[in-house]
Amino acid sequence: MYSTFVGLETARRALYAQRAAIDITGHNVSNVNTPGYRRQRPVIEATPPAPGALQPGTGVKVAGIERMRDQFVDTQIRHTLASLGRWEARQEILEEIQEVFKEPSDIGISAMMDRFWISWQELSGNATDPGRRTSVQQEAISLASAFNLAAAQLNETKADIDQNIKSLVHRVNTTASSIAELNREIVRGNVVGENVADLLDRRDYLVQQLASDVDVAVAEDNSGLVHVTVGGRILVAGTDARELAEDALITGGRIKGLNEAANMIIPGYLKELDDLANALIEKINEQHMAGYDLFGNSGGVFFEGEGAAGIRLSEEIEGNPGLIAAADQTDSPGNGRNALAMAQLKDGLTMVGGTATFRDFYGSILTGLGLETQESMRSREVYEGVLEQQKARQESVSGVSLDEEMIMLIKYSSAFDAAARLVTAVDEMLDRLINGTGLVGR
């Protein structure tokens, strides 16, 4: 036989277990809007029965607190965030480059080139007209300024990217230090038997934030420590955080996208602008020097400098439009035939090995920019869709549903009430046994 008081102990355990379950449910409800929080649930187990034959169970206990998590989905989300961060960064920079070119508009290079050629065409009709000569002069200055401005803005964008990368690297290093500190607290908590679920949530949230900036690989050991690597280099080794190496092979994240923009995309468009500007300088100077100015002198250099950043109208012509070589004969400075030849350069196949005009070449730059921007936009949208699906799967496992928590709260509350009723029943039994025994016949 077992003691009657065993019933009270069973009821006590039930009260404690259901109260703990209610507390955990309340913790879930309280953190329904906390970023990175993972739903928790009590692990409720029956306690072993007392020794001996035909002994009843001794009640229930909360064996632990389970943190609801799908590690596979978490890994997928980190990879998707890295890819999404890369394409977002690329799209943002490409859209900035589109603003630099300002096409189509009246102040873009395309419109400036058209007006430049038109001014030469008009000059060919009356090469002695000072107004038309001044028009060629001013349109040349405007065209050179458009090239200069585009090159300067591209270089400024690259400088901004470099500064942004430095800020992101600093953020990565700060986050890595926070992860290492959380590793330290988690190990300490496990040693002393504390519940570290909230610390684990915070650590996972930081790792997820890290994945938006760089593509990380995460490994967790048996002691609960996570180790983070970037491009094969250790960033977090347990409780030790290291700085992101400058030569680390970063394969994803915003830093990857920005590096591509700074080292490939912008230099590529700068080179194409330089090629166009240099071709203009070469061909226009060649044709200009074949003509004669208003004073019967051979034409000199029309454009000076090199590349989009350096192209400019020669100081002599800028100071005296009469030096524009519009004629093709010394004895007829007003015939305008060289000005016509200059205007016809517009349609000359002077680019890409003699297969494209200046306008065709510039149009190919804009077309390539548009296609590259669309590619980045489509890739970003694809990864956004994938991420949305993955987060929905994560939410189904880890997210807090208020409806579900309310149902569990009712369930645990009912069990608590039943355990309290068990206390009352056992108390009544003991009262009858203690106070009623031996009173028969009195």
Side-chain angles (χ1 to χ4, degrees), residues 103 105 232 290 390:
E103 301 290 355
S105 72
Q390 291 172 343

Side-chain angles (χ1 to χ4, degrees), residues 97-405:
I97 295 174
Q98 286 183 326
E99 291 297 320
V100 168
F101 283 102
K102 301 178 178 65
E103 301 290 355
S105 72
D106 293 334
I107 58 175
I109 292 176
S110 180
M112 295 294 182
M113 283 197 297
D114 287 344
R115 290 202 291 268
F116 177 69
W117 301 125
I118 290 172
S119 69
W120 280 107
Q121 182 73 40
E122 292 176 345
L123 180 62
S124 69
N126 187 354
T128 59
D129 184 352
R132 298 188 184 190
R133 285 179 171 272
T134 301
S135 177
V136 171
Q137 176 200 56
Q138 294 304 313
E139 293 300 341
I141 293 173
S142 296
L143 177 58
S145 297
F147 274 104
N148 299 158
L149 180 61
Q153 289 181 322
L154 287 175
N155 283 313
E156 287 174 3
T157 301
K158 184 179 183 304
D160 291 341
I161 292 173
D162 292 338
Q163 188 61 42
N164 195 0
I165 290 174
K166 290 181 181 179
S167 298
L168 288 177
V169 169
H170 176 72
R171 184 167 74 180
V172 166
N173 292 333
T174 301
T175 303
S177 297
S178 298
I179 292 172
E181 179 61 30
L182 284 169
N183 271 340
R184 188 176 294 106
E185 293 182 27
I186 288 167
V187 170
R188 182 196 60 79
N190 286 332
V191 169
V192 300
E194 293 179 352
N195 176 23
V196 296
D198 291 338
L199 295 176
L200 294 171
D201 288 346
R202 178 61 182 166
R203 187 180 67 184
D204 285 352
Y205 184 65
L206 290 178
V207 171
Q208 186 168 295
Q209 285 185 321
L210 200 62
S212 296
D213 295 332
V214 288
D215 192 8
V216 298
V218 181
E220 185 172 348
D221 60 25
N222 295 331
S223 64
L225 293 171
V226 296
H227 308 277
V228 182
T229 58
V230 176
R233 301 285 188 88
I234 295 175
L235 183 65
V236 178
T239 59
D240 179 33
R242 304 175 185 177
E243 292 191 352
L244 182 65
E246 293 184 2
D247 59 343
L249 180 61
I250 299 173
T251 59
R254 288 190 63 83
I255 293 179
K256 172 66 173 178
L258 292 175
N259 271 327
E260 290 175 337
N263 300 320
M264 296 171 57
I265 296 175
I266 290 180
Y269 287 112
L270 274 171
K271 182 182 182 304
E272 290 182 309
L273 271 183
D274 286 343
D275 290 344
L276 178 58
N278 287 331
L280 278 168
I281 293 170
E282 178 185 354
K283 297 301 180 181
I284 289 174
N285 284 347
E286 180 182 326
Q287 186 62 49
H288 189 260
M289 287 187 288
Y292 299 90
D293 62 25
L294 196 58
F295 310 106
N297 301 314
S298 297
V301 171
F302 188 85
F303 279 128
E304 297 176 335
E306 184 178 354
I311 184 174
R312 64 185 182 277
L313 183 63
S314 70
E315 292 183 4
E316 291 79 9
I317 295 176
E318 187 173 354
N320 185 0
L323 298 178
I324 295 174
D328 66 345
Q329 296 178 2
T330 58
D331 57 350
S332 181
N335 65 30
R337 282 192 288 269
N338 196 54
L340 180 61
M342 294 284 278
Q344 290 172 343
L345 288 175
K346 170 186 178 182
D347 299 318
L349 299 177
T350 54
M351 302 297 298
V352 196
T355 61
T357 65
F358 293 120
R359 187 177 182 86
D360 292 339
F361 183 78
Y362 185 67
S364 69
I365 297 176
L366 299 179
T367 300
L369 176 59
L371 291 174
E372 199 167 6
T373 304
Q374 288 181 355
E375 179 195 8
S376 295
M377 185 180 301
R378 284 195 298 268
S379 298
R380 187 211 70 197
E381 290 173 350
V382 167
Y383 282 109
E384 282 180 342
V386 172
L387 182 63
E388 184 177 352
Q389 293 176 353
Q390 291 172 343
K391 284 194 171 182
R393 289 169 57 192
Q394 184 187 59
E395 188 70 14
S396 67
V397 175
S398 303
V400 176
S401 168
L402 290 178
D403 292 338
E404 181 180 352
E405 296 303 321

